[in-house]
Amino acid sequence: MPPNVLIGEAMDTQAALQAIAEASSLEALQQLKAQYLGKNGLLTGEMKTLGQLAPQERRERGRVLNEIKQRLEQALAERSHTLEAQALEAQLEQESVDVSLPGYAFPSGGTHLISQMQAELLGIFRRMGFSVVEGPEVESEFFNFDALNIPPWHPARDMQDTFWLEGSSEFRIHAPGGQPTRDQGRLLLRTHTSPMQVRYMVEHTPPFKIVVPGRVFRYEQTDASHEAMFYQLEGLVVGEGITMADLKGAITELARGLFGSEARVRFQPTYFPFVEPGAQFGMWWAERERWLELGGSGMVHPNVFRAVDEYREQMGRPRAYETLTGWAFGFGIERLALLRYGIPDIRYFYQQNRLSFLRQFKP
Amino acid sequence: MRIVYSWLQEFLPDAPGPERLEELLAGLGHETETIEHLPAPDPKIVFARVLSVQEIPGLEVRRLLLDAGREVQVISGAPNARSGIGVALALPGAVLPSGQELSVRKIQGLESYGMALSPRELAVGEYAGGLLEFPEAALPPGTPLAEAWPEESVIEIEITPNRPDVLSVYGLARDLAALGLSLVHPEPRPKTTALALPFQVWIEDPKGCDRFTLSYARNLRNGPSPLRAQRRLYAAGMRPISAVVDATNYTMLELGNPLHAYDARFLGQGIVVRRARPEERLVTLDGVERSLDPRDLLITLKQGDQTLPEGIAGVMGGQHSEVRPDTTEVALEVAHFDPVSIRGTAKRQGLKTEASYRFERGVDPNGQVRAALRFLELVQQWTGAEVGEARIDLDHTQPPQPIAFWPSHTNRLIGVEFPADQQLGVLRRLGFEVVGQEPPYSVRPPSYRMDMGLEEDLIEEVARVLGYDQIPVTLPSFFPAPDNLGVDQPYQAKERLKAVLAGIGFQEVVNYSWSSPETLAKYRAPAPTVAFANPQASDRTHLRTALYPGLLQTLEFNLSQGEGGPFLLFELGNVFQREETTHLALLLCGESVPGRWQPGLGGGFYALKGLLENTAAHLGASLKVQKEPFAHLHPGISGAVYWNGHRVGSIGQLHPGIAAQVELPPTYLAELELPLPTLKSRFKDVAKFPAALRDLAVVVPEAVPYAELEALIRGSAGEALEGLEPFDVYRGAPLHPGEKSLAFHLSFRDPARTLTDTEVEGFMARVIQALEAAGYAIRK
């Protein structure tokens, strides 16, 4: 501890230290700092007199004054910290909020349940190396029926009640390669996603694996379990040596993706004109202990390959399909969502679009 | 199709019970819809004979005296009650299928000691207009009906359109027999006499009718058919009429061939099968007078030089030669018609009958004689008819062509290893004729398998009989051909767009693809270009031309249901104008961040524009809006959207005129056409030297858009201009009315060094010079 040196009459080091320790505000502290250490401060004034002293005395007094200066600075800093901490504490006491009140209502947004279901299914197929493509909703009779081995007189046309369309002269349907190479027949809303099988094969070279999600339409009255518009997922694989066992494998993977590794799959013969042999497939729904008949599938019918190759030839492309094998499947997506979430009425999906319905589902 | 279990058992004596049968049928591709168990009638419902019917003056009911082992008097209003028929009599204490317990009761003041039952009352059929009628001596009077009508099961099966061969009891049994069950083949043998056939048949159109048989029986008594036959007809969903009519239906249900019986008195010289002539008309059995189309195939009766239309071939007969209760001689037609012709006629006439349903799918062209014999056998048993030996049989049918078959192809297509002899065994059990010692085998399908044409069809037969559960599980492994790579890019772009919109707060909705001209006009959307040929409802007549009307309707509906905001909606879907294109529509109504206990944030045009800019930023695109009017938008608050420099759609406030009409608060819309043009991201080094910041305010007339000043500044500032942000738009003193001041932050930076003040002042001078040259004042 340095001696309590009196510097002139006005400055008493002990008194200065005490004043700093007792300063009640940052402003008062600032004044004290100016009083002693400022440009015209007492200590600063004393320092200025050093030059008038003899070297020996100047060294001695300089050391003392520096020591005092350091002590004052330290005391000022300490007091300043204390006062700042006190001021902060006081401020924080004032600033308390009710954290239980909700924050700003930033909207969360979301996709439609059908988009979520679709994304989940496509994810399963993408992991198996499938590409996702889409086709038009307005189709021609040719792609929707004729090219799929369903000629006009075929009783199978009764299996799918159709919305027939009348396009005005300015409306143009998409045709593979730009221009239709043959009479397309009447316009309709596609009754299934299967016409995309033909469109895709006409424009691409085998082998490939594709899935086609999309809207399809049936001329049906809407009620709790029927919609005139719904979504299907179509799959098509064509290549050399593709077998029905491969089809079963892909459907089994789908079942596992949906229901877990214990999922079971059942194939039963059925009839779709564009496959031969044809199979409907079901999955064991362990939770409800019952089979869920999901959709139809089968080996691509040779007449479909022939229609594709004929179309390709008319477009000036080489025939590419008749010597190959392939399979296709298709199923409706809504029913999976209805069953999974226990939704009793399909009209919640498209007829209503109630936000309190849509916001319930997050992927 | 409804299959009566006991009937099926006649052909498959070893058939398993209905539940196991359901599994076997499913394995073969025949899906069971329901299995119905029909109980036997209550024991107090007995067979009785009508002894007499007595009119009661002044009343509509009549007094029936019945022999039910003892005499019973009942009061009945049934019009067909008459002596000489058998009826089902419910005695007091009997419980009817409806649950009603019968007691002695008074009908219009008269005691009735039982009740003679109609088909509806016995719950065997829909008919309630008269009594069930049985042959007089069907059972000893008083016998409980249950003895002849034991309990029964009915399996309802959905038959796919390719399998008309199983649209009969025998046909289904035949398919099941391929699984190894033993099959009883029908061999009907009526006792025939040497009766000459008093008619002739001429076929003018052998393509439309390639098989026609006509048989003859006489001296019959056309009363009710036997109890058991009636039970089966009812169970199969048909109403018994009379023995002759019932025998045609019974035979059709059993063997699959439609039959038509004529009252032979009215057949003239015989039958001519020909196409209809223009303007020809005909009254069919259902009493409807029909105008015929020249494509319709007719059964006509030859009378002299004329041929008079009598029936629509394969669809429905005519009234003139209809079998009646007093019919004593019948001619029976069992034929085969061109399925396509029948289908066309049935569609044109709006007539779907049991016969047309079968003919249009395909009837065995080789089963006519057997069906005729079965009918004659039944009619003989049921009515005592004398059956003629002679028969007309005009046959132009072709036998099915053989198909070359390699058992190895089955294994290659299905991915199995079924031995060849096992495969050929399946085909033989299904009735195929297999010729050859080694592949390719020549396999000729039976006449009833019209669905067989290709080797793949045979492969399915083998696979379905051996069982789809025998197919192993594998996965295809190959690399796709090069032109398939990247085909999913457009779909991925849509998924990404959806994810971004959902992430910044928009809720996706999915609306129907259709609308109506009225709705589209109401929202000032483009007029529709595609109409439904068969509209379902007045609001579903055309395809939509834009998405925003659907979004607005969704908003209106949600508001009407009291749904709370925020209303940030989007839809991504296809619209139909000159062609089918994909659109994205956005809607904002109210604030994007709604207030709770503090004020909300972000409403109005700049909120929606900001969200769209945010979307563009997420996707690495630039977004600009240029003023442009749109019919459905506020003329002062609307513009065209430029995405990476390409005009892709519109944004603005819903036109207040529309909003007022549909009572919506101010609502903001954007609609863009997809795909949105993309730019590849490129590397640009991060800033390593400080930026120099300057502010600038420009006074311009009100009509000058921000975009014009932005262009002037960017055009004049030089390459060092890095950022340009408007931070204030001011109107009012000291500016003149009609003026506004726009203030900008500008930031300059050089990638390689720190800019000097002098340099930056030089850039600013150039900017100021350009603005002043354009006639705008710089605000000091």
Side-chain angles (χ1 to χ4, degrees):
Chain A
M1 184 127 183
N4 186 13
V5 182
L6 277 177
I7 308 162
E9 285 178 15
M11 187 166 166
D12 172 333
T13 305
Q14 286 307 330
L17 288 171
Q18 190 171 347
I20 289 171
E22 285 169 4
S24 62
S25 71
L26 286 165
E27 292 75 30
L29 203 63
Q30 202 58 41
Q31 272 183 17
L32 288 169
K33 187 178 180 184
Q35 189 183 338
Y36 296 106
L37 301 175
K39 245 183 196 171
N40 302 312
L42 291 171
L43 191 62
T44 317
E46 283 304 315
M47 298 282 239
K48 284 177 183 163
T49 61
L50 285 178
Q52 301 159 13
L53 300 180
Q56 180 62 31
E57 198 181 347
R58 180 179 357 165
R59 197 177 308 122
E60 181 58 26
R61 186 151 176 85
R63 191 187 56 78
V64 171
L65 287 180
N66 261 324
E67 197 173 320
I68 292 170
K69 186 183 177 192
Q70 277 173 23
R71 287 201 56 198
L72 288 181
E73 279 176 343
Q74 191 188 347
L76 280 166
E78 274 168 15
R79 186 60 188 158
S80 172
H81 278 143
T82 308
L83 285 172
E84 276 170 6
Q86 281 170 0
L88 184 61
E89 210 161 294
Q91 186 195 346
L92 295 189
E93 249 166 55
Q94 294 298 310
E95 281 180 352
S96 162
V97 301
D98 178 357
V99 296
S100 65
L101 273 170
Y104 280 99
F106 290 102
S108 61
T111 50
H112 194 285
L113 175 55
I114 197 69
S115 294
Q116 295 173 25
M117 201 70 230
Q118 201 165 288
E120 179 180 341
L121 293 166
L122 294 179
I124 296 170
F125 284 103
R126 278 175 167 150
R127 287 197 289 281
M128 285 188 266
F130 282 72
S131 298
V132 184
V133 295
E134 290 184 292
E137 291 163 18
V138 168
E139 261 302 355
S140 67
E141 198 173 356
F142 173 75
F143 284 114
N144 196 79
F145 289 128
D146 302 61
L148 290 168
N149 198 29
I150 315 174
W153 48 265
H154 203 288
R157 284 207 178 184
D158 289 346
M159 293 165 82
Q160 302 181 351
D161 292 325
T162 307
F163 279 108
W164 294 99
L165 301 175
E166 282 162 5
S168 77
S169 55
E170 51 178 332
F171 183 80
R172 290 278 170 275
I173 188 177
H174 294 276
Q179 287 299 312
T181 62
R182 48 157 295 140
D183 177 24
Q184 298 280 312
R186 287 181 289 170
L187 292 183
L188 49 82
L189 281 173
R190 64 175 171 189
T191 58
H192 47 186
T193 38
S194 309
M196 193 52 193
Q197 290 185 23
V198 182
R199 287 176 174 273
Y200 192 86
M201 288 192 277
V202 161
E203 292 196 311
H204 293 88
T205 315
F208 60 78
K209 292 184 250 187
I210 56 164
V211 270
V212 187
R215 292 181 176 200
V216 301
F217 306 85
R218 300 279 167 90
Y219 191 85
E220 252 190 83
Q221 295 303 322
T222 303
D223 62 29
S225 52
H226 296 89
E227 248 301 358
M229 176 182 103
F230 55 98
Y231 281 75
Q232 269 189 351
L233 186 66
E234 181 94 9
L236 176 68
V237 173
V238 181
E240 185 121 22
I242 296 295
T243 68
M244 201 159 172
D246 297 332
L247 167 63
K248 218 172 172 182
I251 297 297
T252 303
E253 279 301 300
L254 170 64
R256 287 178 182 153
L258 284 171
F259 297 106
S261 57
E262 299 300 304
R264 282 190 288 152
V265 162
R266 178 173 79 175
F267 270 60
Q268 288 177 344
T270 192
Y271 173 66
F272 297 101
F274 39 100
V275 288
E276 189 75 41
Q280 61 177 359
F281 56 91
M283 295 176 184
W284 180 249
W285 191 15
E287 206 178 300
R288 303 281 165 95
E289 296 204 327
R290 68 177 179 90
W291 287 100
L292 181 62
E293 288 309 331
L294 201 59
S297 66
M299 303 306 291
V300 178
H301 197 286
N303 289 353
V304 176
F305 282 147
R306 184 177 314 135
V308 166
D309 274 345
E310 277 167 14
Y311 203 101
R312 285 174 67 93
E313 213 162 47
Q314 287 159 5
M315 285 172 67
R317 291 175 185 230
R319 298 177 85 97
Y321 286 89
E322 274 153 319
T323 58
L324 303 177
T325 57
W327 47 254
F329 65 82
F331 61 93
I333 302 179
E334 283 82 356
R335 208 158 61 96
L336 279 172
L338 290 173
L339 293 170
R340 174 182 290 179
Y341 297 104
I343 302 166
D345 194 327
I346 196 172
R347 284 170 292 196
Y348 283 116
F349 278 64
Y350 315 122
Q351 194 172 325
Q352 301 197 341
N353 277 300
R354 284 277 297 264
L355 290 177
S356 53
F357 170 77
L358 298 174
R359 286 176 180 149
Q360 291 176 30
F361 308 100
K362 301 292 170 193
Chain B
M1 185 186 52
R2 293 169 64 85
I3 291 287
V4 180
Y5 183 73
S6 69
W7 205 345
L8 186 68
Q9 272 182 311
E10 283 183 15
F11 297 100
L12 286 180
D14 308 330
E19 279 74 19
R20 170 71 183 133
L21 201 57
E22 177 178 0
E23 288 172 29
L24 296 183
L25 288 168
L28 287 173
H30 310 304
E31 201 173 344
T32 298
E33 287 181 335
T34 57
I35 298 178
E36 234 174 273
H37 297 284
L38 308 178
D42 185 280
K44 288 223 167 66
I45 298 175
V46 301
F47 176 81
R49 236 159 30 102
V50 182
L51 296 172
S52 68
V53 178
Q54 188 190 352
E55 302 287 335
I56 305 165
L59 292 183
E60 284 180 12
V61 292
R62 297 183 293 175
R63 181 180 287 116
L64 270 50
L65 194 60
L66 303 176
D67 174 6
R70 57 190 169 85
E71 287 192 2
V72 177
Q73 175 189 295
V74 303
I75 306 300
S76 167
N80 61 334
R82 60 189 189 279
S83 61
I85 63 169
V87 297
L89 174 66
L91 294 168
V95 179
L96 297 183
S98 64
Q100 180 196 353
E101 188 178 332
L102 218 65
S103 54
V104 179
R105 43 182 202 149
K106 284 197 167 172
I107 295 174
Q108 303 195 359
L110 302 165
E111 300 253 294
S112 184
Y113 296 90
M115 182 172 166
L117 301 176
S118 71
R120 162 115 36 110
E121 283 155 345
L122 200 53
V124 295
E126 286 300 305
Y127 184 65
L131 303 179
L132 269 168
E133 278 186 40
F134 300 132
E136 191 180 16
L139 287 172
T143 311
L145 201 58
E147 287 191 12
W149 279 22
E151 59 179 335
E152 181 67 90
S153 299
V154 180
I155 308 167
E156 187 158 9
I157 305 169
E158 195 186 324
I159 303 295
T160 53
N162 60 326
R163 293 301 307 275
D165 61 294
V166 292
L167 285 173
S168 65
V169 180
Y170 173 60
L172 191 71
R174 196 168 50 194
D175 211 45
L176 280 161
L179 296 174
L181 297 166
S182 61
L183 177 69
V184 176
H185 293 279
E187 286 169 10
R189 288 197 192 89
K191 294 181 202 71
T192 53
T193 54
L195 266 179
L197 203 65
F199 320 102
Q200 275 187 280
V201 175
W202 298 266
I203 296 176
E204 284 187 7
D205 186 341
K207 195 180 161 292
C209 173
D210 56 8
R211 185 90 190 250
F212 198 101
T213 70
L214 198 69
S215 314
Y216 179 62
R218 67 177 187 184
N219 291 337
L220 56 84
R221 196 169 153 258
N222 190 19
S225 48
L227 277 173
R228 200 181 62 160
Q230 290 201 33
R231 166 74 150 181
R232 286 186 173 173
L233 288 171
Y234 276 124
M238 300 193 95
R239 185 159 83 85
I241 308 285
S242 67
V244 172
V245 175
D246 294 354
T248 61
N249 288 329
Y250 193 95
T251 306
M252 176 182 71
L253 293 173
E254 185 172 273
L255 299 177
N257 291 83
L259 305 84
H260 186 75
Y262 301 86
D263 186 321
R265 283 176 292 180
F266 305 101
L267 222 50
Q269 295 153 264
I271 288 173
V272 178
V273 184
R274 63 164 171 84
R275 298 281 166 182
R277 299 187 180 124
E279 317 268 307
E280 254 181 335
R281 301 178 81 79
L282 163 67
V283 179
T284 40
L285 266 177
D286 53 3
V288 178
E289 186 179 356
R290 299 177 181 277
S291 56
L292 301 167
D293 184 285
R295 287 167 290 180
D296 295 338
L297 195 65
L298 298 186
I299 305 296
T300 66
L301 300 184
K302 187 165 170 64
Q303 296 194 338
D305 292 338
Q306 285 187 305
T307 56
L308 306 173
E310 179 54 23
I312 304 178
V315 183
M316 193 177 267
Q319 277 185 325
H320 174 68
S321 62
E322 183 185 358
V323 169
R324 300 164 171 77
D326 65 352
T327 297
T328 58
E329 51 173 333
V330 295
L332 177 79
E333 163 200 317
V334 192
H336 182 257
F337 303 106
D338 172 23
V340 177
S341 167
I342 298 293
R343 182 173 157 81
T345 296
K347 277 202 123 170
R348 277 191 299 276
Q349 297 290 349
L351 246 182
K352 191 173 167 182
T353 61
E354 290 282 345
S356 71
Y357 177 78
R358 285 173 167 77
F359 276 124
E360 70 178 45
R361 278 165 174 70
V363 157
D364 184 0
N366 216 13
Q368 282 70 16
V369 172
R370 186 177 56 201
L373 289 173
R374 178 61 171 154
F375 168 84
L376 294 168
E377 183 181 63
L378 291 174
V379 165
Q380 195 161 57
Q381 285 170 11
W382 296 353
T383 71
E386 182 188 354
V387 172
E389 201 178 67
R391 182 170 53 238
I392 294 171
D393 183 357
L394 304 178
D395 187 353
H396 303 284
T397 58
Q398 303 290 325
Q401 291 302 305
I403 301 166
F405 178 64
W406 285 261
S408 61
H409 289 183
T410 303
N411 296 341
R412 202 171 70 193
L413 190 66
I414 308 292
V416 288
E417 289 179 19
F418 294 148
D421 52 348
Q422 194 183 17
Q423 296 191 37
L424 299 176
V426 166
L427 292 173
R428 288 196 178 98
R429 282 208 299 283
L430 283 166
F432 293 73
E433 183 189 306
V434 180
V435 178
Q437 294 306 311
E438 58 186 34
Y441 298 95
S442 169
V443 177
R444 189 189 299 275
S447 59
Y448 47 85
R449 290 305 299 271
M450 280 135 304
D451 56 325
M452 292 294 119
L454 302 172
E455 192 185 21
E456 284 78 4
D457 298 324
L458 301 179
I459 292 173
E460 179 178 76
E461 292 305 296
V462 170
R464 94 185 157 93
V465 171
L466 293 179
Y468 278 8
D469 51 359
Q470 300 298 308
I471 303 174
V473 168
T474 57
L475 274 178
S477 70
F478 58 77
F479 290 102
D483 66 323
N484 298 283
L485 302 174
V487 292
D488 57 1
Q489 201 283 325
Y491 192 81
Q492 282 179 31
K494 286 193 200 176
E495 284 179 317
R496 173 98 181 99
L497 187 56
K498 278 191 195 183
V500 166
L501 289 166
I504 65 173
F506 283 92
Q507 173 62 51
E508 184 187 19
V509 302
V510 175
N511 281 301
Y512 291 126
S513 298
W514 43 71
S515 187
S516 71
E518 295 74 27
T519 304
L520 294 171
K522 182 168 84 174
Y523 297 105
R524 303 186 195 170
T529 56
V530 185
F532 285 175
N534 46 348
Q536 211 179 21
S538 61
D539 59 343
R540 304 180 165 191
T541 60
H542 291 71
L543 296 185
R544 61 183 177 182
T545 54
L547 297 181
Y548 75 83
L551 284 188
L552 289 169
Q553 286 178 318
T554 301
L555 174 66
E556 289 166 35
F557 180 71
N558 273 283
L559 288 171
S560 77
Q561 300 299 305
E563 292 279 355
F567 295 106
L568 287 90
L569 307 179
F570 83 94
E571 180 168 9
L572 207 157
N574 290 6
V575 301
F576 308 85
Q577 295 183 8
R578 286 166 171 276
E579 56 178 349
E580 181 174 348
T581 51
T582 305
H583 277 196
L584 164 70
L586 304 177
L587 176 148
L588 168 66
C589 177
E591 281 151 331
S592 59
V593 182
R596 284 173 167 158
W597 51 274
Q598 75 283 56
L601 308 170
F605 173 80
Y606 291 109
L608 183 62
K609 186 181 175 190
L611 287 163
L612 194 55
E613 285 167 340
N614 190 219
T615 307
H618 270 283
L619 299 169
S622 74
L623 187 110
K624 293 255 183 295
V625 175
Q626 225 175 66
K627 195 141 202 172
E628 189 179 317
F630 291 87
H632 66 289
L633 297 177
H634 187 307
I637 308 176
S638 59
V641 175
Y642 289 79
W643 188 280
N644 279 335
H646 298 268
R647 186 179 178 283
V648 295
S650 63
I651 183 170
Q653 183 181 346
L654 173 66
H655 198 292
I658 303 173
Q661 199 189 338
V662 296
E663 294 179 10
L664 276 180
T667 301
Y668 300 85
L669 298 168
E671 181 142 353
L672 314 182
E673 185 173 330
L674 269 47
L676 295 168
T678 53
L679 282 181
K680 283 222 161 57
S681 297
R682 296 197 58 171
F683 170 76
K684 193 178 147 215
D685 206 352
V686 295
K688 289 178 176 154
F689 295 91
L693 307 177
R694 294 290 185 278
D695 286 352
L696 179 71
V698 194
V699 179
V700 296
E702 189 61 60
V704 174
Y706 165 79
E708 185 183 324
L709 298 176
E710 186 189 8
L712 274 171
I713 296 170
R714 285 198 185 279
S716 56
E719 284 197 352
L721 179 68
E722 185 183 64
L724 179 66
E725 287 286 342
F727 70 88
D728 188 36
V729 181
Y730 176 78
R731 298 174 181 87
L735 304 183
H736 300 107
E739 282 183 345
K740 64 182 176 189
S741 157
L742 274 158
F744 300 88
H745 291 307
L746 294 83
S747 66
F748 297 90
R749 196 196 304 268
D750 188 292
R753 61 196 174 82
T754 304
L755 292 168
T756 66
D757 272 0
T758 321
E759 285 173 308
V760 176
E761 291 320 317
F763 302 148
M764 287 302 287
R766 294 212 305 260
V767 169
I768 289 165
Q769 192 186 3
L771 289 167
E772 285 177 342
Y776 307 136
I778 305 303
R779 218 173 151 210
K780 303 291 189 247

